[in-house]
């Protein structure tokens, strides 16, 4: 019986962060686990910050992960992972997609995007970090829209998620459009295998 397992999913609009949260929540419910969750959305257009909180277990009552209590931070975008680091426990795990999405404010010269090495250095000072180019793997699976299921696969491959792979694959089948089931399941497996190589 799981008492408490907390996941933070951090990305930007258009990466499927909320769908990933829905897939994981559905898989947890299919497993018979208690689930609570919350979403924080930035700008309505693509590119705004998106954060999902997913809490699983019998001792979970509120939808928001308290600061310092996260077990895993899934960073769909490097700077968004860093922005949400305070939610993670020092014993937690950070799984981060190394492909940045440069915000418009940087593109027009009003701000500066840190180097990936700088971001990863700060993340590694906080907790264990595992990296992958989820965008490249999503393209291999058949479409960049599957970055979210690549990241779910990576989370499953970390060995920390208290849900079986078969259940997650069934949840993907339930949650994604029918015509994208095959590429999403392929993306899950690519993310899973990529992270296995890191452990």
């Amino acid at each position: 019986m799981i008492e408490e397992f907390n996941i933070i999913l951090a990305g930007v609009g258009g990466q499927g962060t909320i769908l990933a949260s829905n897939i994981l929540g559905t898989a947890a419910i299919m497993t018979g686990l208690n689930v609570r969750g919350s979403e924080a959305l930035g700008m309505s257009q693509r590119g705004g910050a998106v954060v999902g909180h997913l809490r699983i277990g019998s001792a979970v009552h509120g939808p928001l992960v308290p600061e310092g209590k996260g077990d895993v931070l899934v960073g769909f975008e490097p700077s968004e992972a860093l922005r949400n680091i305070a939610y993670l426990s020092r014993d937690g795990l950070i799984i981060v997609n190394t492909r940045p999405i440069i915000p418009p404010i940087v593109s027009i010269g009003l701000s500066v995007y840190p180097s990936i090495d700088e971001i990863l250095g700060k993340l590694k000072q906080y907790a264990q970090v595992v990296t992958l180019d989820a965008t490249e793997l999503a393209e291999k699976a058949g479409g960049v829209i599957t970055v979210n299921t690549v990241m779910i696969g990576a989370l499953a491959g970390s060995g920390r998620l208290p849900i079986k792979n078969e259940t997650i694959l069934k949840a993907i089948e339930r949650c994604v459009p029918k015509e994208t089931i095959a590429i999403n399941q392929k993306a899950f497996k690519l993310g899973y295998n990529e992270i296995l190589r890191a452990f």
Side-chain angles (χ1 to χ4, degrees):
M1 198 67 185
I2 303 297
E3 283 195 2
E4 184 177 345
F5 187 81
N6 295 316
I7 306 169
I8 304 102
L9 302 105
V12 299
Q15 289 189 296
T17 309
I18 301 305
L19 178 56
S21 182
N22 291 341
I23 290 168
L24 290 168
T26 298
I29 290 167
M30 290 167 69
T31 304
L33 297 168
N34 182 48
V35 178
R36 295 286 182 270
S38 178
E39 298 147 4
L41 306 177
M43 298 179 295
S44 59
Q45 70 262 40
R46 292 169 66 93
V50 180
V51 182
H53 290 231
L54 191 67
R55 310 189 69 204
I56 300 168
S58 59
V60 169
H61 303 291
L64 295 174
V65 176
E67 286 195 9
K69 295 290 186 180
D71 294 289
V72 182
L73 170 58
V74 182
F76 288 59
E77 200 282 334
S79 67
E80 293 303 324
L82 185 58
R83 190 193 310 271
N84 289 279
I85 194 68
Y87 290 109
L88 189 69
S89 161
R90 290 283 183 171
D91 297 324
L93 173 67
I94 305 163
I95 302 171
V96 61
N97 177 17
T98 56
R99 187 78 67 93
I101 296 177
I102 306 301
I105 195 168
V106 173
S107 300
I108 61 174
L110 295 178
S111 186
V112 177
Y113 191 99
S115 73
I116 299 303
D117 286 343
E118 186 180 347
I119 292 171
L120 293 178
K122 289 180 179 178
L123 292 173
K124 288 173 182 176
Q125 288 174 10
Y126 196 93
Q128 181 185 1
V129 177
V130 180
T131 63
L132 71 162
D133 188 337
T135 307
E136 181 182 10
L137 293 173
E139 288 165 352
K140 283 183 183 176
V144 73
I145 60 165
T146 62
V147 163
N148 53 357
T149 41
V150 170
M151 296 302 288
I152 292 172
L155 173 57
S158 74
R160 299 208 181 190
L161 191 63
I163 304 169
K164 292 181 180 177
N165 287 0
E166 300 78 34
T167 308
I168 300 170
L169 289 167
K170 286 178 184 174
I172 290 171
E173 196 171 328
R174 282 191 188 183
C175 295
V176 304
K178 192 172 184 178
E179 65 274 14
T180 69
I181 290 171
I183 65 169
N184 275 287
Q185 291 183 336
K186 182 178 179 182
F188 172 89
K189 290 170 185 172
L190 286 171
Y192 182 87
N193 290 332
E194 184 70 15
I195 287 299
L196 285 183
R197 286 193 277 271
F199 285 97

